Amino acid sequence: MIGIAFGIKLKVWGDYACFTRPEMKVERVSYDVITPSAARGILEAIYWKPAICWKIDRIHVLNPIKFDNIRRNERSGKIPAGKVKTAFKGGDVALYQDSTEDTVQRASLVLRDVSYIIEAHFEMTNCAGPDETVEKHYNIALRRMRKGQCFHHPYFGCREFPVQFELIEEEAPASYYHGKKEGEKDLGFMLYDIDFSDEMKAVFFRAHMVDGIIDVQKCLCNGGVS
Amino acid sequence: MSEIIKNRYEFVLLFDVENGNPNGDPDMGNMPRVDPQTGNGIVTDVCLKRKIRDYVDLVKSGNAGYDIYVKSGAVLNDQHKKAYDYLGIKPDSKKPKDEELTKFMCQNFYDIRAFGAVMTTEVNCGQVRGPVQFSFARSIDRIFQQEITVTRCAVTNEKDAEKGQTMGKKQIVPYGLYRAEGYISAHLAKKTEFREDDLELLWDSLINMFEHDHSAARGKMSARKLIVFKHNSELGCCQSHILFDKVKVEDLSHDLPPRSFGDYKVIISGDMPNGIELIEKL
């Protein structure tokens, strides 16, 4: 376990976001705030190696929570792998989706004008080589965040909602909810992350926001549910 | 075959619409999409990607390796087999691995190479994330949605015959200048083998996609400016929002609502951060 000294604070913001609730996935409904899993995804888009594993400590919700509804034409199915296999072997199949036949209209309830600060640190995994140091990974991550470099562009839940990011090296800006009555809010059970080591088991936690800040690790201590 | 792209890119596309509906909202009776909080017009990412797919299908139709996975309208069945015939599929590969299937799809389909696709397998793989990423396009100013009633002097049903004519509605935006922003990741390009000539085709399609999408609903739509930021490395040299801020659009129409591209001035700041090359494609 690495001390908090190796933590980072990353400000992330964007026009839209959709952190889809698993129970409402057909017509997507977003959670009120970013999930730790989505926050990890943003960090991994910037820097990740098998030797490290990002842990989300706290999430600051800087902007008021607002929703917006968008309905789009979407495809109803996925590419069946079997059909691809047939085509691969030279079989004669029509390998395409027809946008007039295969269309469904789905609404998404998405978040608007989001801005968060992700406080996170990373831990070394078993994949780390003997000469790999925490400092090395920490400095690469910091450099990328300062320069705006990324492996692929990070996004808020869906790829059409890109994330702008900036490393916060000083005091974090205050949340809209700071010192307000609605700044203390029980956000209910939220997805914490998917446990890939255990057959992709979903782990949930009871998210609690105080002064616009969700202390993820503290909430987890109150019991993660899987 | 050209090389896989080795640079990160961001781009800004400015396009406008005159007396047309750039993207109807199915929730609002096909009125042009509008951001209810600001009144600005919206064109979704998928709407723009649809046009790119249609353009590529049009110019590269029948060319091996440029098939389109998500087709629109009439599908000409005999075309795709051509695409996957040329690969020279090995007959000995009895049980292709998932990676081989993914690779096969990427090599054949331009839209999978560019945007990615989801393929179902038992495990969570066979999912390809493409290098090209779009956000929603928004109009520079608030748009004015107008509903125009039209008449048709013929009827569909016999029982309406005595009416002689039926009424219909058209939803239009008198004028709107929209700004779309996009991202291209060199790292994801490696995974789908998105090459330099694929990138050129993408720029071509962004410039020309509206030229082949004319219809009664769309009115007059044109791409006006395509500004590309090329980073000198795969990871990039600068935050994307800093680059996007280099392109500003000023409204010159003052008190009157803007009604043409001439009512706007596009200002592109010349001072680029180190390692960024600005390319004005249009």
Side-chain angles (χ1 to χ4, degrees), chain A residues 123-137:
Chain A
E123 289 167 15
M124 303 297 277
T125 66
N126 298 335
C127 303
D131 53 345
E132 288 197 70
T133 65
V134 181
E135 286 83 354
K136 175 192 128 180
H137 291 294

Side-chain angles (χ1 to χ4, degrees), chain B residues 230-244:
Chain B
K230 182 179 182 179
H231 298 250
N232 68 4
S233 63
E234 288 182 358
L235 282 174
C237 316
C238 177
Q239 269 102 336
S240 50
H241 65 270
I242 294 176
L243 297 176
F244 290 140

